[in-house]
């Protein structure tokens, strides 16, 4: 277990932003993770958990406490049952499941970060969410000081949300178990329209696993959503805002604002999101509110490839990023009466 003091955190995040931590511990086994958490909790020291750093916005002043980088490894496949250590690189694990001929997470290729973060955020993209394949999550319960195994139902998954996100101070994810599908080398049913178009198939069709993965990687790269240190469009947290889910009354008012601003006949994206609720597109809202690709003049700007990504063009500060985020939130609210919610976790700062 490595320990550093006054340690820079920016290099551990995909934004490459944020000040130092009082202390940084890197743990490479579950036992080390648990020991570091127990020590911090026992001393009453603030604790920041870091995996791949792809969903973190850390303030310029840094973190006054112990930052724990979870760097555990472990990939165990038994038939269609997969167990990943929390520190496993997610996109590498997806590639290995495709190579093994198993379906269920192939459309989640290219998503940065670690396996342990996926249940927290209920990571999803291109028609798949991890909640549909996660069978169990093994975690350290800071309240009871025990290692527990939570079933899929006990994780309380919903859109980009989970029990872990709802109660961030309680659980530390150690391992994640998935139940994948052996579809004879084929993917799960293609659900996302953009993916189906790119593959030249209809919704619900299956394609070779490698083709699904490669297509998703190509689509993500075209939007700056695959990490590339040479491409500042990838110096981001991916989608910075979640897609708003509106109650029927809210959606009706929103549609009226759209007609008022964009003209009669203009219709916003609308997707069923459970009884009495409709999901719309954050990217569409941002663009139609006037924040187009590449928007901004400072070191923090909207991606030149995707309006949903806020980026560090090099030399930005966290305050630069937050100023841009606040401008976008205010502009969308003024234009359409919808308040965007940030997807990344903020540390020491807020919108």
């Amino acid at each position: 277990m490595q320990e550093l003091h006054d340690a820079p955190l920016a290099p551990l995040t995909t934004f490459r932003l944020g000040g130092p931590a009082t202390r940084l511990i890197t743990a490479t086994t579950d036992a080390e993770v648990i020991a570091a958490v127990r020590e911090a909790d026992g001393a009453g020291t603030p604790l920041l958990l870091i995996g791949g750093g792809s969903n973190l916005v850390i303030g310029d002043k840094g973190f006054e406490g112990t930052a724990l980088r979870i760097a555990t490894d472990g990939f165990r496949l038994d038939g269609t049952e997969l167990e990943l250590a929390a520190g496993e690189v997610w996109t590498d694990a997806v590639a290995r499941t495709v190579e093994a001929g198993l379906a269920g997470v192939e459309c989640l290729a290219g998503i940065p970060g670690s396996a342990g973060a996926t249940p927290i955020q209920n990571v999803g993209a291109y028609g798949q969410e991890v909640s549909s394949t996660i069978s169990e999550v093994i975690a350290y319960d800071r309240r009871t000081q025990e290692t527990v195994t939570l079933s899929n139902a006990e994780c309380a998954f919903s859109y980009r949300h989970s029990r872990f996100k709802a109660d961030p101070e309680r659980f530390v994810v150690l391992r994640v178990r998935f139940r994948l599908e052996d579809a004879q080398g084929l993917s799960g049913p293609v659900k996302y329209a953009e993916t189906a178009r790119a593959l030249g198939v209809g919704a619900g069709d299956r394609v070779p696993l490698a083709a699904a993965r490669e297509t998703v990687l190509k689509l993500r790269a075209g939007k700056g959503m695959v990490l590339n240190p040479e491409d500042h469009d990838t110096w981001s947290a991916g989608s910075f805002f979640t897609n708003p889910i509106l109650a029927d009354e809210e959606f009706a008012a929103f549609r009226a604002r759209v007609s008022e601003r964009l003209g009669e006949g203009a219709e916003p994206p609308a997707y069923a999101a459970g009884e009495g609720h409709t999901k719309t597109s954050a990217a569409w809202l941002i663009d139609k509110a006037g924040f187009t690709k590449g928007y901004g003049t400072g070191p923090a700007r909207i991606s030149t490839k995707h309006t949903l990504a806020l980026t560090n063009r090099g030399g930005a500060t966290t305050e630069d990023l937050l100023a841009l985020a606040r401008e976008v939130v205010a502009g969308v609210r003024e234009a359409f009466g919808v308040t965007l919610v940030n997807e990344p976790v903020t540390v020491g700062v807020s919108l």
Side-chain angles (χ1 to χ4, degrees):
M1 187 157 58
Q2 182 188 69
E3 180 174 331
L4 299 172
H5 294 267
D6 195 27
L9 295 181
L12 301 181
T13 73
T14 52
F15 264 123
R16 296 165 172 80
L17 295 176
T22 307
R23 183 172 71 148
L24 171 64
I25 292 175
T26 298
T28 57
T29 67
D30 290 353
E32 289 180 353
V33 171
I34 292 170
V37 173
R38 282 179 171 165
E39 180 193 21
D41 288 350
T45 303
L47 181 67
L48 171 64
L49 303 175
I50 301 177
S54 60
N55 204 43
L56 279 180
V57 177
I58 299 173
D60 292 317
K61 292 182 180 179
F63 183 71
E64 197 169 320
T66 296
L68 173 59
R69 179 171 171 258
I70 299 176
T72 53
D73 60 15
F75 179 103
R76 187 172 65 83
L77 195 58
D78 182 8
T80 59
E81 306 293 318
L82 170 67
E83 182 179 288
L84 296 177
E88 280 287 324
V89 176
W90 173 252
T91 193
D92 292 348
V94 171
R96 292 178 69 177
T97 67
V98 170
E99 290 170 4
L102 297 176
V105 294
E106 62 279 359
C107 291
L108 303 179
I111 294 177
S114 61
T118 61
I120 298 170
Q121 192 73 5
N122 185 16
V123 164
Y126 296 97
Q128 289 183 340
E129 285 184 330
V130 292
S131 58
S132 66
T133 52
I134 287 176
S135 57
E136 295 177 328
V137 174
I138 301 169
Y140 175 69
D141 186 338
R142 297 168 68 182
R143 186 176 301 169
T144 64
Q145 298 184 34
E146 296 175 329
T147 298
V148 296
T149 299
L150 302 173
S151 68
N152 182 289
E154 289 172 320
C155 293
F157 291 120
S158 59
Y159 173 65
R160 300 298 172 271
H161 201 70
S162 69
R163 181 179 184 178
F164 311 105
K165 191 171 181 179
D167 192 0
E169 301 299 317
R170 180 168 181 180
F171 296 103
V172 179
V173 174
L174 301 174
R175 295 184 174 264
V176 187
R177 291 175 177 157
F178 300 82
R179 184 170 293 115
L180 304 177
E181 179 189 7
D182 184 352
Q184 306 301 308
L186 295 179
S187 69
V190 177
K191 298 178 181 178
Y192 199 69
E194 184 182 17
T195 315
R197 285 194 301 270
L199 286 162
V201 300
D205 288 348
R206 293 177 183 260
V207 299
L209 277 164
R213 176 178 174 270
E214 289 161 10
T215 297
V216 166
L217 286 173
K218 185 175 180 180
L219 290 172
R220 290 185 65 87
K223 299 173 183 177
M225 297 290 185
V226 177
L227 292 180
N228 178 354
E230 304 302 317
D231 182 0
H232 282 282
D233 280 331
T234 73
W235 290 30
S236 74
S239 299
F240 195 87
F241 300 104
T242 57
N243 290 321
I245 295 178
L246 307 175
D248 287 345
E249 186 176 322
E250 295 172 319
F251 190 76
F254 166 52
R255 285 184 69 191
R257 294 283 287 268
V258 169
S259 294
E260 180 183 324
R261 182 178 178 89
L262 303 179
E264 291 296 327
E267 286 290 341
Y271 311 96
E275 186 176 352
H277 290 82
T278 301
K279 181 167 66 176
T280 193
S281 165
W284 186 91
L285 285 164
I286 294 166
D287 181 71
K288 298 303 181 184
F291 303 100
T292 53
K293 295 174 184 176
Y295 178 88
T297 57
R301 303 178 201 172
I302 290 177
S303 166
T304 65
K305 300 182 180 72
H306 198 320
T307 54
L308 203 47
L310 307 188
T311 68
N312 172 10
R313 309 313 294 186
T317 65
T318 301
E319 278 306 310
D320 292 329
L321 175 75
L322 294 175
L324 175 62
R326 291 171 186 137
E327 183 183 2
V328 171
V329 169
V332 168
R333 185 188 298 119
E334 181 180 357
F336 299 112
V338 175
T339 300
L340 294 176
V341 176
N342 53 291
E343 187 168 328
V345 175
T346 55
V347 178
V349 292
S350 65
L351 290 191

